[in-house]
Amino acid sequence: MEGFDIVLTQSLLAVPEFQRNFGEQLPDGSYQVTAAWQAGLTNGAIVGELIGLMLNGIIADKFGFKKTMIGALSLVTAFIFIPFFAHNIVQLLVGLILMGIPWGVFQTLTCTYAAEGRDDQWAYRIPYALQWLWPVPLIVGIFFAPESPWWLVRKQRYDEAKHTLRRLISRNAPTSTIDETLTMIHETNELEKSISEGTSYVDCFKGVDLRRTEIVCVTWLIQTAAGATFMGYSTYFYQQAGLDDNSAFRLSLGQYGLGAVGTVISWFLMMRFGRRTLYLSGLILLCALWLTIGFCGLAPRDNERAQQAIGSMLMIFTFVYDCTIGPVCYSLVAELSSTRLRQKSVVLARNLYNIGSIICNILVTRQLNPGARNWGAKTGFFWGGSCFLCLVWTFFRLPEPKDRTYAELDVLFENKVSARKFESTVIHELASKHAPAAIVQEEKEASERIEKA
């Protein structure tokens, strides 16, 4: 939903009726939403997301994931009325800020939508109305979904956690498997408590968790710092690069189609290759694509081959992004934060991403808008440099969590293992140094209590 809504607003900037209703007339007679308002509309939603994310870190810990998600979906269903009936750009901004609050709660993988074909107010009203298609079926599905067994164990609700695991594990799995999984969850939780007690936001910046917080925050920031903002502005970018409206629209549809295919491919790539490998290779390719777009932008705007190359490179960019750093980011953020602080670590990471998005939205709108920098495709040089900096950080700081349990990751972080050595380090040689007898005894007693329950 969040992906649909954010990309929707950015895509509507290229709809003529949207430009006439909410933009200003240029000397040539055309209409454009000013660069300041382009950034303001997108960033207004992000401000709401910042609020929603901070609330989510507290509410989800208290009430669980299901109730929090259903509440957020109910709120967004009501808030959609504001942009749908908006008559001026200020009303639209207010609606997007309020909608950003529940978006901040359920930010997940993105999906996209673009609309064209009408020359009246319904050219932008219909896409906003389509947002009502999402909440009700999602509420129903989430209502019947199981609660997180990790959250239930942290609340010492072992019977419910065991019942949830029966739903999540294969029906043919023996009872012993469920008991072993429940014990593993409890032991991991107790190990993390012994290493770093507490579950407040402040704890994310203490001891070994400070490094983990840095990693998950920068990993998510890289999504926008590598230039992903351009995918949302693709239709507008194609127009400013010199393509006609119809070609820009068709390329955007093709771009989103390739992105969907790339996301599916990423499922198999993550099983075959490490997350670190995919992040590094993805950033190398994205950096090369940005530089190619920049060099193509040096050609005259009436050079048809150069414009086709620009469109092709941005489509390939979307495909590569959705095969690598796009979806892999969500796996890394979830795996590299400690289980006790995961909710709050993810909130901090997403908030840094949103702050980065605000900066990038301001930069992009000024780089592309004819009334501002008007760089066009030459913007690729700027984002190629940004992408290279992300690549350097990833090489030195991003560890490999593939095929590691959460307890093993805890041990690796506690021992301050270098990011480049996470994959090759032998765990049992380190674990004995950080498993005092008291912890072992406590875990044994916990296993016995769980078995009795």
Side-chain angles (χ1 to χ4, degrees):
M1 272 212 66
E2 184 267 345
F4 178 100
D5 299 334
I6 289 294
V7 175
L8 171 64
T9 298
Q10 295 168 343
S11 297
L12 289 176
L13 294 172
V15 175
E17 186 61 25
F18 187 91
Q19 294 172 338
R20 281 192 292 271
N21 275 29
F22 300 109
E24 296 179 1
Q25 190 171 20
L26 300 179
D28 62 1
S30 63
Y31 287 82
Q32 283 283 344
V33 178
T34 64
W37 273 110
Q38 285 181 359
L41 290 176
T42 304
N43 291 341
I46 295 174
V47 169
E49 290 175 8
L50 292 172
I51 299 171
L53 278 164
M54 297 305 293
L55 292 174
N56 180 41
I58 300 170
I59 296 172
D61 273 348
K62 184 175 180 60
F63 298 103
F65 300 103
K66 287 177 58 177
K67 292 180 181 177
T68 304
M69 187 72 77
I70 290 173
L73 289 167
S74 300
L75 279 177
V76 81
T77 303
F79 289 150
I80 290 170
F81 284 99
I82 300 175
F84 178 77
F85 287 110
H87 292 291
N88 58 61
I89 202 164
V90 175
Q91 293 174 350
L92 186 60
L93 176 62
V94 171
L96 290 174
I97 292 174
L98 290 175
M99 290 177 67
I101 296 174
W103 290 350
V105 175
F106 53 68
Q107 287 174 329
T108 52
L109 295 176
T110 61
C111 57
T112 57
Y113 173 87
E116 184 184 78
R118 299 184 66 99
D119 56 4
D120 57 12
Q121 61 181 334
W122 292 99
Y124 62 87
R125 289 192 190 276
I126 289 175
Y128 279 124
L130 286 174
Q131 294 170 104
W132 277 308
L133 294 175
W134 300 101
V136 174
L138 286 172
I139 288 172
V140 174
I142 292 167
F143 179 80
F144 290 103
E147 183 55 87
S148 164
W150 288 86
W151 181 79
L152 292 170
V153 168
R154 286 196 291 272
K155 298 300 180 181
Q156 298 182 353
R157 292 157 61 173
Y158 300 117
D159 289 339
E160 295 178 58
K162 194 169 185 177
H163 175 70
T164 295
L165 287 172
R166 284 198 185 97
R167 297 180 60 187
L168 294 173
I169 296 177
S170 172
R171 293 182 179 181
N172 298 324
T175 304
S176 59
T177 301
I178 297 173
D179 292 335
E180 289 170 3
T181 304
L182 189 58
T183 301
M184 179 274 294
I185 293 174
H186 185 276
E187 290 177 352
T188 302
N189 187 54
E190 293 301 314
L191 175 62
E192 291 184 354
K193 284 170 63 178
S194 70
I195 294 173
S196 180
E197 186 68 39
T199 58
S200 68
Y201 280 110
V202 175
D203 293 304
C204 294
F205 301 96
K206 292 181 178 178
V208 69
D209 287 313
L210 174 60
R211 179 188 177 193
R212 301 179 82 157
T213 301
E214 174 223 331
I215 291 171
V216 298
C217 285
V218 178
T219 297
W220 214 329
L221 178 64
I222 284 175
Q223 276 197 333
T224 187
T229 304
F230 265 86
M231 293 188 295
Y233 287 99
S234 60
T235 306
Y236 187 74
F237 173 76
Y238 290 138
Q239 287 180 334
Q240 301 311 312
L243 297 172
D244 61 83
D245 292 349
N246 288 331
S247 297
F249 177 73
R250 287 196 298 268
L251 280 175
S252 293
L253 289 180
Q255 170 191 322
Y256 297 145
L258 278 175
V261 173
T263 300
V264 174
I265 292 175
S266 73
W267 304 344
F268 303 98
L269 292 178
M270 279 193 282
M271 290 188 289
R272 179 70 175 83
F273 303 101
R275 284 83 159 116
R276 174 184 163 89
T277 301
L278 289 175
Y279 237 65
L280 283 170
S281 58
L283 286 169
I284 291 171
L285 291 172
L286 295 181
C287 186
L289 289 168
W290 274 129
L291 293 177
T292 303
I293 290 173
F295 281 113
C296 289
L298 297 176
R301 289 175 64 88
D302 58 356
N303 187 317
E304 186 176 345
R305 289 187 177 182
Q307 305 312 319
Q308 290 175 347
I310 291 168
S312 300
M313 290 301 101
L314 194 53
M315 291 178 71
I316 296 172
F317 177 97
T318 303
F319 178 75
V320 172
Y321 176 89
D322 284 318
C323 281
T324 56
I325 68 174
V328 175
C329 169
Y330 296 92
S331 175
L332 285 169
V333 168
E335 292 171 340
L336 293 175
S337 55
S338 71
T339 60
R340 289 179 58 77
L341 290 170
R342 180 173 299 138
Q343 187 66 39
K344 292 180 173 60
S345 297
V346 172
V347 166
L348 291 171
R350 185 67 192 200
N351 269 338
L352 182 61
Y353 167 87
N354 285 335
I355 292 170
S357 295
I358 291 174
I359 297 171
C360 290
N361 284 327
I362 294 171
L363 290 173
V364 169
T365 53
R366 279 160 174 73
Q367 289 166 349
L368 296 182
N369 196 288
R373 299 294 181 183
N374 196 26
W375 287 355
K378 291 190 288 292
T379 308
F381 291 124
F382 177 91
W383 294 104
S386 176
C387 206
F388 177 76
L389 294 177
C390 295
L391 175 61
V392 172
W393 179 90
T394 300
F395 180 78
F396 289 103
R397 298 296 292 169
L398 184 66
E400 177 56 73
K402 185 176 182 292
D403 298 328
R404 298 290 195 186
T405 66
Y406 292 130
E408 289 174 337
L409 290 173
D410 290 340
V411 173
L412 289 167
F413 276 112
E414 178 66 13
N415 282 269
K416 298 180 173 61
V417 175
S418 167
R420 286 169 288 170
K421 296 182 179 178
F422 255 56
E423 188 174 10
S424 59
T425 300
V426 180
I427 289 293
H428 70 79
E429 294 179 0
L430 298 175
S432 59
K433 302 177 184 178
H434 294 276
I439 297 177
V440 175
Q441 181 61 30
E442 186 178 355
E443 292 174 352
K444 182 179 179 181
E445 293 174 355
S447 300
E448 292 174 353
R449 289 197 301 269
I450 292 170
E451 288 176 3
K452 291 179 181 179

